[in-house]
Amino acid sequence: DSGVTQTPKHLITATGQRVTLRCSPRSGDLSVYWYQQSLDQGLQFLIQYYNGEERAKGNILERFSAQQFPDLHSELNLSSLELGDSALYFCASSPLSGVANEQFFGPGTRLTVL
Amino acid sequence: AQSVTQLGSHVSVSEGALVLLRCNYSSSVPPYLFWYVQYPNQGLQLLLKYTSAATLVKGINGFEAEFKKSETSFHLTKPSAHMSDAAEYFCAVSSYNAGNMLTFGGGTRLMVKP
């Protein structure tokens, strides 16, 4: 158990809908990262927040957005969902924001878009 | 830009045999390198990381990896495979000029035969 929690574990929805994925980092970790894992794209970095502020951005679609709240939990919002958005979404956390920091991964949220 | 290539999407070894999982990276600045393991239906767990100290890095579960700058490689090895090592393994790179994002390779699924 990494100490990172993600809810829900599974999510099934329809095309065009909007969903919110939630992540609670390990106690004391200030950085939260979001990744998408799909069969065709592999593991891709989406976005990072550090202490409430966006720190780094990867291959995140404009239909997707994220935020980190004052209690440090984070939410990833996916809207106008398409079939291709079906994937496993991971959240990770680390104490700080440096490149050498180990990132601790949550168990993921499996999103299925029908 | 940084990238990671993992040679062999599937590797099969017999129990007790040497495990060798290959990783080559590309980075224009000194990299930080990581190996993560993903067991079925779980998140990623850090096996080991290279952060410019010793070139031979020892990790958990008997795994180790050697950073070879001249070959831009960071191959993962274990002298004797156990059935419990069956999982997917990901090599990842981060560097200062790419923010704090981890760039992952495509993964290698390790199968261990009895």
Side-chain angles (χ1 to χ4, degrees):
Chain A
D1 185 354
S2 67
V4 177
T5 59
Q6 291 186 247
T7 56
K9 202 167 184 177
H10 301 277
L11 199 47
I12 301 174
T13 188
T15 54
Q17 294 298 304
R18 173 189 170 94
V19 297
T20 297
L21 313 183
R22 183 188 169 101
C23 168
S24 292
R26 295 187 323 155
S27 177
D29 283 0
L30 299 178
S31 271
V32 169
Y33 310 78
W34 285 98
Y35 292 87
Q36 180 194 58
Q37 184 178 35
S38 63
L39 282 174
D40 52 346
Q41 300 286 334
L43 253 172
Q44 288 202 95
F45 167 75
L46 295 178
I47 197 163
Q48 178 208 0
Y49 279 82
Y50 175 73
N51 205 19
E53 294 190 2
E54 183 183 306
R55 184 58 68 96
K57 212 165 185 176
N59 296 323
I60 188 166
L61 300 171
E62 284 192 16
R63 300 183 285 110
F64 296 1
S65 65
Q67 54 183 329
Q68 185 179 28
F69 294 86
D71 67 352
L72 300 177
H73 91 271
S74 177
E75 292 180 358
L76 179 67
N77 300 296
L78 316 176
S79 62
S80 303
L81 285 167
E82 301 174 0
L83 296 177
D85 298 327
S86 295
L88 197 48
Y89 291 85
F90 286 110
C91 166
S93 74
S94 65
L96 299 174
S97 184
V99 292
N101 278 294
E102 173 183 355
Q103 295 181 22
F104 295 85
F105 282 75
T109 292
R110 183 169 295 280
L111 173 67
T112 302
V113 182
L114 301 175
Chain B
Q2 57 188 23
S3 66
V4 174
T5 302
Q6 290 184 241
L7 281 174
S9 58
H10 292 79
V11 169
S12 181
V13 301
S14 297
E15 195 173 17
L18 171 72
V19 175
L20 170 61
L21 304 183
R22 298 178 188 274
C23 171
N24 287 89
Y25 70 90
S26 172
S27 175
S28 56
V29 297
Y32 295 89
L33 295 159
F34 306 79
W35 274 100
Y36 281 85
V37 61
Q38 184 179 26
Y39 297 102
N41 300 314
Q42 294 187 29
L44 282 76
Q45 179 186 7
L46 183 70
L47 280 176
L48 48 81
K49 67 178 181 180
Y50 167 76
T51 57
S52 76
T55 56
L56 183 61
V57 181
K58 293 189 185 300
I60 62 171
N61 301 339
F63 284 95
E64 62 182 39
E66 186 171 8
F67 173 70
K68 291 187 177 180
K69 185 178 177 182
S70 61
E71 298 176 10
T72 60
S73 69
F74 190 56
H75 301 332
L76 182 71
T77 60
K78 181 173 180 177
S80 176
H82 294 161
M83 296 297 291
S84 59
D85 294 327
E88 186 140 25
Y89 292 79
F90 292 92
C91 182
V93 63
S94 69
S95 59
Y96 282 106
N97 71 342
N100 301 311
M101 57 183 283
L102 279 174
T103 299
F104 285 89
T108 296
R109 184 166 297 279
L110 176 66
M111 294 165 284
V112 182
K113 298 175 292 188

